[in-house]
Amino acid sequence: ANVAGVLAGRTLVNLNYTANVESLKSAIEQADIKHVVTSKKFLKKLAAKGVNTSAIEDATQCVFLEDLSTKISSAEKLLTIASTALLPSGILKWFVLPKEPREDYFNRAPAVILFSSGSEGAPKGIELSDRNILANVKQIGDVLNAQEDDVVLANLPLFHAFGLTASQFMPLLEGIPVICHPDPTDALGSAKAIASHKATIMFGTSSFFRLYLKNSKVKPLMLDSLRFVVAGAEKLNAEIKTDFKLKFNKDIYEGYGATETTPVASVNIPDQLSTQDWKIQIGNKAGSVGMPLPGTGVKIVDPETYQELPTNESGMILIGGEQVMLGYLNQIDKTEDVLHHEDNIRWYVTGDKGRIDEDGFLFIEDRYSRFAKIAGEMVSLGALENELKTAIRSHYGANEDFELLTVNIPDDRKGEKIIALITKEIDQKVVHDLARDAGVTAL
């Protein structure tokens, strides 16, 4: 569906079906979505898991794959199979690809809109162009150093940039076979897919990799074919990295980026031995998120003056390159807040604090912006505080006087967790129940 949408010149919006109803409604309204391509079977499975899809079904017209399949005749299916098998690619391209000039097509805006988990209120729509995606695909492909027998396991959700770019568009455009599995939390199912199809490349998050360690049915030999395991979307837990190596004898290589950078900006890779001079090219460093991808600029600046800082000095991380987003959907002010223009380069202001060492490796140290990253999802501390205050006052009285502050701290299971500090004697279960009833995300 995504590839067909791109070839038809449409803008793709993969909806985050795990988001709360209000976030889904906001995304549908902001992107002016009229039709959603899905399947009855998929919606039924989501409902069984307790996911509320009413916002999608009420606000849009659902196009079900089960209905579409009945409208395609046997003759059309046979003709399509025959044409793809027999016709030269040049003729197929002439029939299928848009007729507009190449530059006009690549400069159309946007090709994809991906919605954030919600910042200070409604989620932001991150607009990515064809050029953004093609650039990041090429950058990822260059560092992957794809081999003839490579196979990618694709089990990340396509409503996240990591899944959309790295596990869908990258292997398709680079010509690497893809093994699809619908649920990244199904560690056993994913492991069976890896073993059955000899997958060699897997992308995931620290939280998802933890599930492979916990499940006693996931045996080391199931992951034996993997040569490159990459973690992104959240900070890689050091204990998970160590335990994964002990159980499966596989290193996890951590990367870094943001939806606003399509998403990959840097990544650790395996060391390489040169057989010409027998020197080792260092591709990874413990504690780092690797070196910038080819064609990517990363610099550390003073967060107030934007003056570039010396090597190993900590400051705001800026990312520049062809993968930097077009902007936020219908939010010019917020776009200008996070894009810094200098030397004819558009730099994305990450809000993260870090440093670059003498070898060019990037280290993340902290975050300037007030977000928690839980199981790969960004959760706004400010928005959560407002929701908790509203819920508590609705229960105890509108004039209730108290202070509330949320902080994020490390968590072994989900990367980070949130603690609320409240200047009022209050029952923890009451707060939990009020938050749940108010529709606060379960994360």
Side-chain angles (χ1 to χ4, degrees):
N2 278 330
V3 174
V6 168
L7 295 181
R10 305 288 183 176
T11 297
L12 306 178
V13 186
N14 288 326
L15 292 171
N16 182 350
Y17 46 82
T18 67
N20 61 45
V21 173
E22 291 306 314
S23 294
L24 274 172
K25 284 181 179 177
S26 177
I28 290 168
E29 290 171 5
Q30 288 186 60
D32 194 24
I33 295 170
K34 297 293 190 293
H35 297 84
V36 171
V37 178
T38 183
S39 79
K40 295 173 183 175
K41 183 177 181 180
F42 183 62
L43 292 183
K44 188 176 180 180
K45 286 196 171 189
L46 288 181
K49 288 192 171 188
V51 177
N52 188 347
T53 60
S54 61
I56 297 175
E57 297 177 86
D58 294 343
T60 66
Q61 181 180 338
C62 287
V63 179
F64 296 111
L65 296 179
E66 292 91 341
D67 297 337
L68 280 179
S69 65
T70 62
K71 298 177 182 178
I72 304 173
S73 67
S74 298
E76 186 177 354
K77 291 176 183 176
L78 290 172
L79 183 62
T80 303
I81 292 172
S83 62
T84 55
L86 301 175
L87 292 178
S89 60
I91 295 177
L92 288 173
K93 287 177 182 178
W94 188 87
F95 275 117
V96 175
L97 293 178
K99 302 302 186 290
E100 58 191 304
R102 181 184 178 90
E103 278 305 305
D104 290 348
Y105 181 76
F106 285 144
N107 288 328
R108 71 189 177 96
V112 174
I113 300 172
L114 295 172
F115 281 90
S116 68
S117 303
S119 56
E120 304 300 330
K124 295 193 295 287
I126 294 96
E127 298 180 307
L128 302 176
S129 68
D130 294 272
R131 192 180 296 275
N132 290 150
I133 295 169
L134 286 169
N136 207 221
V137 162
K138 184 62 178 172
Q139 292 168 322
I140 297 169
D142 280 352
V143 297
L144 273 183
N145 191 23
Q147 300 174 8
E148 285 294 322
D149 61 348
D150 271 337
V151 176
V152 172
L153 173 73
N155 67 352
L156 295 177
L158 299 180
F159 52 74
H160 280 169
F162 196 18
L164 185 69
T165 301
S167 64
Q168 177 181 262
F169 284 127
M170 187 281 296
L172 289 177
L173 291 171
E174 291 290 306
I176 305 173
V178 184
I179 305 304
C180 296
H181 190 73
D183 185 0
T185 65
D186 177 16
L188 181 59
S190 296
K192 288 179 178 178
I194 292 169
S196 298
H197 303 283
K198 304 299 180 188
T200 59
I201 299 170
M202 176 168 67
F203 302 104
T205 70
S206 185
S207 298
F208 293 154
F209 290 137
R210 183 176 181 275
L211 300 177
Y212 292 80
L213 297 171
K214 285 183 62 179
N215 196 322
S216 60
K217 294 182 179 179
V218 178
K219 306 299 183 184
L221 283 176
M222 289 178 164
L223 307 190
D224 189 54
S225 60
L226 291 174
R227 73 169 183 87
F228 199 17
V229 182
V230 182
E234 63 177 300
K235 182 173 178 57
L236 177 60
N237 182 290
E239 187 178 337
I240 290 174
K241 179 181 172 71
T242 300
D243 290 348
F244 202 87
K245 176 72 171 179
L246 289 172
K247 180 174 181 178
F248 301 110
N249 195 28
K250 302 292 179 183
D251 290 302
I252 301 178
Y253 296 95
E254 187 173 7
Y256 171 71
T259 305
E260 288 85 349
T261 58
T262 317
V264 189
S266 70
V267 70
N268 283 291
I269 58 175
D271 295 341
Q272 296 291 328
L273 173 66
S274 171
T275 55
Q276 295 180 335
D277 56 13
W278 301 106
K279 290 182 178 179
I280 295 177
Q281 180 183 339
I282 303 299
N284 63 90
K285 273 193 179 184
S288 83
V289 290
M291 287 192 280
L293 299 185
T296 300
V298 174
K299 66 177 180 176
I300 310 299
V301 301
D302 183 285
E304 301 295 331
T305 65
Y306 284 87
Q307 183 72 33
E308 189 164 4
L309 299 174
T311 299
N312 272 319
E313 190 166 329
S314 300
M316 177 77 77
I317 301 171
L318 303 188
I319 300 173
E322 285 289 348
Q323 73 265 51
V324 174
M325 68 169 182
L326 295 170
Y328 295 124
L329 177 65
N330 301 326
Q331 299 190 54
I332 297 174
D333 291 345
K334 287 188 176 180
T335 299
E336 291 177 349
D337 286 343
V338 299
L339 292 182
H340 175 68
H341 298 266
E342 188 178 328
D343 301 327
N344 295 319
I345 298 175
R346 297 164 70 250
W347 295 92
Y348 170 60
V349 183
T350 64
D352 289 329
K353 182 180 181 180
R355 62 182 176 85
I356 297 176
D357 74 1
E358 60 280 357
D359 295 321
F361 284 86
L362 177 63
F363 292 79
I364 311 298
E365 297 179 339
D366 206 343
R367 217 170 8 254
Y368 288 105
S369 53
R370 294 196 64 232
F371 283 84
K373 203 162 194 177
I374 303 176
E377 291 280 350
M378 298 297 287
V379 178
S380 166
L381 298 182
L384 178 59
E385 286 164 3
N386 290 334
E387 289 174 320
L388 286 176
K389 286 177 182 177
T390 300
I392 291 170
R393 287 198 172 104
S394 70
H395 181 77
Y396 287 97
N399 297 322
E400 189 70 21
D401 187 28
F402 64 93
E403 296 293 328
L404 185 149
L405 175 73
T406 57
V407 293
N408 49 310
I409 63 173
D411 179 72
D412 290 338
R413 283 201 317 121
K414 294 187 176 182
E416 288 184 346
K417 64 181 177 182
I418 299 173
I419 289 180
L421 307 175
I422 308 174
T423 59
K424 172 180 174 60
E425 289 293 329
I426 192 168
D427 185 86
Q428 183 174 333
K429 186 178 185 303
V430 171
V431 176
H432 183 276
D433 292 342
L434 289 172
R436 182 198 60 209
D437 295 340
V440 175
T441 172
L443 286 170

